[in-house]
Amino acid sequence: MAFGATAVVGNFGGGRLSDSLGTRRGLIAALVGLVLALAMLPFSAPHVLTMFANLLLWSACCFCLGPIVQSGVVAAAEEVAPGAVATASGFNIAAFNFGIATFSAIGGLLVAGPGIMTTPLGGAAAGCAALVGSLFVRSHRPGRMPISRRKIQSCSLINT
């Protein structure tokens, strides 16, 4: 329950990070937190309170990433291909699901091989790779609303 509640907080925090820091810096901040949480898991696991605190950090940082990436994708699509914002959003979600499936398989191999306590370190290594990749992300200005107010007001869900 605490993991889920912190995930909700992380989602809101990701949106705020993206708005205040911009896409690249928000992404780097969330990834650094996630890598630290994953790297600390093997060390915090034997201790209930430190594991609980680490679990909360892990959840917040993990679920913080989605809104940051999504806002960057929407902002980039708005600039490059304004007619394809929905398609870009769909590809973003598909990429998340592809990553989940791929790294679940890798995690299964780690569990079957060296053991379950190596999975957090594998996740931290993947997070480090994502950090390197984030250096190549085009940043969007903090506080910039990627979709015009006119487009938001024309959305049927808001008008109902």
Side-chain angles (χ1 to χ4, degrees), residues 14 62 86:
C62 180

Side-chain angles (χ1 to χ4, degrees), residues 79-91:
E79 283 180 20
V80 177
V85 172
T87 303
S89 268
F91 276 121

Side-chain angles (χ1 to χ4, degrees), residues 67-145:
I68 296 170
V69 173
Q70 185 73 9
S71 69
V73 165
V74 169
E78 187 74 17
E79 283 180 20
V80 177
V85 172
T87 303
S89 268
F91 276 121
N92 180 47
I93 300 306
F96 266 108
N97 288 322
F98 178 76
I100 290 167
T102 302
F103 286 97
S104 292
I106 292 170
L109 292 173
L110 288 172
V111 169
I116 196 162
M117 290 311 288
T118 59
T119 58
L121 299 177
C128 287
L131 268 170
V132 170
S134 71
L135 299 175
F136 301 100
V137 170
R138 182 171 172 203
S139 190
H140 294 280
R141 291 183 301 231
R144 184 170 155 240
M145 191 168 168

